[in-house]
Amino acid sequence: MPTLGRMPTLILVRHGRSTANTEGVLAGWTPGIALDERGAAQAAALPGRLAGLPISEVVSSPLQRCQETIRPLLDARPELTAHTDERIGEAHYGDWSGRKLAELKDEPLMEVVQAHPSAAAFPGGESMRAMQTRAAEAVREWNARVERDHGADAVYLMCSHGDIIKSLVAEALGLHLDLFQRISVEPCSITAIRYTRLRPFLVRLGDTGDFASLAPREEPPAGDATVGGGAGAP
């Protein structure tokens, strides 16, 4: 019986909580969006959470909040080189960038984003299908590069954004993009996908090691998914 054939394991880290997350703003590619105090603490804890993993490469979105998230890991492991790949940068939300999510919920397009994202294209930005396609192409290319340079059993890390990671999980599971809003990844959560020649395996999803976000809240969470990924546990 033929084997599936090993390929690298990808560790997807969503950036730590940002100032835009706490302010309820859809940041997109808006410059100057940094980690807030909690996000910086989440980033500082990341090296310890990943201590048992022999990470061979680190790839990051070029956006500041991702670069700040991986900095403690790179400081702890000076042998690692960080690569930047724009294809795993945040969705290009166009005219929606920098706007309050509370305002956007009444936009007619928001219903499409929630229920039929494969048909959604942001005004002045990109479509959600294009977002998923560029991110998946980046992963395929990095899988090949990491396998070539470090072997089929290598582990590498990408630091990206909520909608990007959700779309990659959907692609790995063979889910239509219209179902990706059912997936949740909190700030600084870890998602792991083990690739093989024939199919990927989702082995971790949105793991923060903290279950506080599962506790009942005074205000129940909204029924719709938060575009961009949300702020995580209060």
Side-chain angles (χ1 to χ4, degrees), residues 15-193:
H15 62 78
R17 196 174 75 176
S18 73
T19 54
N21 293 146
T22 48
E23 293 169 3
V25 170
L26 187 62
W29 285 70
T30 304
I33 303 297
L35 299 183
D36 67 7
E37 185 175 350
R38 180 171 182 168
Q42 291 170 332
L46 196 58
R49 294 169 63 197
L50 298 171
L53 289 178
I55 297 170
S56 58
E57 301 275 3
V58 174
V59 187
S60 177
S61 157
L63 295 172
Q64 179 178 339
R65 51 199 183 273
C66 285
Q67 298 286 327
E68 290 179 354
T69 298
I70 62 169
R71 176 48 50 196
L73 177 64
L74 297 175
D75 289 343
R77 301 196 192 189
E79 75 279 5
L80 287 176
T81 301
H83 308 273
T84 297
D85 194 324
E86 291 195 357
R87 294 173 297 176
I88 62 167
E90 181 63 284
H92 291 278
Y93 295 119
D95 297 344
W96 279 23
S97 299
R99 292 182 61 188
K100 290 277 191 180
L101 289 165
E103 300 172 2
L104 292 170
K105 68 180 179 61
D106 295 324
E107 293 278 355
L109 179 60
M110 183 60 84
E111 187 176 13
V112 182
V113 170
Q114 293 293 334
H116 191 19
S118 64
F122 297 101
E126 69 180 334
S127 70
M128 301 199 88
R129 284 184 293 109
M131 174 199 76
Q132 183 185 45
T133 297
R134 63 173 164 86
E137 287 178 350
V139 167
R140 283 191 285 272
E141 289 183 20
W142 277 102
N143 280 347
R145 177 172 172 174
V146 170
E147 182 179 6
R148 181 197 68 202
D149 294 344
H150 303 282
D153 290 323
V155 176
Y156 74 106
L157 182 147
M158 281 185 169
C159 185
S160 187
H161 307 265
D163 281 350
I164 296 291
I165 294 172
K166 288 162 57 178
S167 74
L168 289 172
V169 169
E171 200 260 353
L173 292 176
L175 294 177
H176 197 283
L177 184 61
D178 287 345
L179 301 178
F180 101 123
Q181 297 290 25
R182 302 183 184 195
I183 299 166
S184 176
V185 289
E186 293 192 1
C188 224
S189 63
I190 293 172
T191 294
I193 302 172

Side-chain angles (χ1 to χ4, degrees), residues 217-222:
R217 304 186 190 181
E218 291 184 11
E219 292 186 13

Side-chain angles (χ1 to χ4, degrees), residues 187-211:
C188 224
S189 63
I190 293 172
T191 294
I193 302 172
R194 181 170 294 133
Y195 287 88
T196 74
R197 300 291 177 201
L198 299 182
R199 66 181 69 93
F201 293 88
L202 179 66
V203 292
R204 292 288 188 281
L205 176 61
D207 188 344
T208 63
D210 179 1
F211 297 102

